[in-house]
Amino acid sequence: MTGKGLHHYQKLDVNKPKNDDALRVVYDEWATKYDDDNDATLGTISQPKTVEILTAVTDKDAKILDAGCGTGLVGAELAKRGFKTYDGVDLSPEMLRHAKNRGYANLFQYSLNDPLPIPDDAYDAIVSAGLFTHGHVKTHAIRELIRITKSGGYLCFTINEGVYHSQGFDKEIQSITNDGLWDIKKLEKDAYMTKEQVQAYYCLARVL
């Protein structure tokens, strides 16, 4: 895995827990090269794929949150598909600076490992591509995303195959289902970083 800015990410040991401060530094440093690396080096397709999945079930007038929005690659896809109102949240202020010109109504700098200062039922849908990966955001964040989604709304998110079982995302998804908080509409493994032969689980769930 080589690229113009990937050395910033490679400084992280994926086998050790990360704190938000360390992650923020890495993504702040990576921000200017992030888009190029995602396209040319990694071949990441999760942004258009998650938006495509969400488009099939969500009205274009829906209020959407892009959780872990980074430089706004998902926002650019939402704009292409005619969505009108979407916010973004990310840990890195430099990533958010790059996202400013991609159509977001509001951009927030929060850690998604913490409770979000966002009211219950604030969004019609939440989309997230790349948030749940090695040593980043923990499984409990899924329930927080459910909290801020309206009943009948949708969550569409990816989970890197490398953490799906090892960090307990499979168990948390089943626990949320058992608690009657959502109805899983789609959960399947598919291409994620095509140039690295990395796959992810794509999950679409309707909040109950």
Side-chain angles (χ1 to χ4, degrees), residues 5-208:
L6 279 170
H7 65 280
H8 297 300
Y9 182 79
Q10 291 166 339
K11 289 189 294 187
L12 293 171
D13 183 347
V14 299
N15 296 310
K16 293 181 180 179
K18 320 297 182 304
N19 60 50
D20 285 340
D21 289 338
L23 286 171
R24 186 182 298 108
V25 168
V26 165
Y27 281 94
D28 279 351
E29 292 174 344
W30 193 8
T32 58
K33 304 296 184 183
Y34 186 81
D35 289 5
D36 287 342
D37 283 341
N38 266 265
D39 183 25
T41 306
L42 300 175
T44 306
I45 61 170
S46 55
Q47 297 95 356
K49 190 169 179 61
T50 49
V51 173
E52 180 182 3
I53 293 168
L54 189 66
T55 298
V57 296
T58 304
D59 188 273
K60 298 297 175 62
D61 292 321
K63 183 179 180 182
I64 297 172
L65 178 68
D66 177 5
C69 65
T71 59
L73 294 173
V74 164
E77 293 295 332
L78 289 169
K80 285 180 188 177
R81 291 183 174 268
F83 288 95
K84 300 172 183 176
T85 306
Y86 49 94
D87 296 342
V89 56
D90 199 85
L91 178 67
S92 163
E94 280 301 303
M95 288 280 186
L96 291 171
R97 185 173 67 82
H98 285 268
K100 282 183 178 178
N101 295 322
R102 285 180 158 156
Y104 292 91
N106 300 285
L107 290 167
F108 308 111
Q109 185 194 344
Y110 301 140
S111 168
L112 285 141
N113 279 310
D114 297 332
L116 296 170
I118 296 173
D120 295 355
D121 307 321
Y123 291 96
D124 299 304
I126 293 179
V127 61
S128 184
L131 180 67
F132 299 115
T133 187
H134 297 280
H136 284 46
V137 177
K138 310 299 188 295
T139 61
H140 65 262
I142 300 175
R143 290 177 182 262
E144 184 69 353
L145 296 180
I146 291 171
R147 178 187 68 77
I148 63 175
T149 305
K150 296 175 182 177
S151 178
Y154 287 89
L155 300 182
C156 183
F157 59 95
T158 64
I159 303 171
N160 187 300
E161 64 177 343
V163 302
Y164 184 74
H165 296 292
S166 66
Q167 294 188 14
F169 283 95
D170 55 338
K171 294 181 175 62
E172 181 65 0
I173 285 173
Q174 186 59 55
S175 176
I176 292 169
T177 301
N178 293 344
D179 289 343
L181 298 180
W182 65 13
D183 178 21
I184 297 286
K185 299 297 184 183
K186 179 187 185 78
L187 180 60
E188 62 183 39
K189 193 175 179 182
D190 206 345
Y192 177 51
M193 297 177 186
T194 59
K195 295 184 180 179
E196 292 293 318
Q197 290 77 52
V198 175
Q199 294 189 315
Y201 289 84
Y202 289 80
C203 182
L204 175 70
R206 183 175 180 270
V207 174
L208 299 176

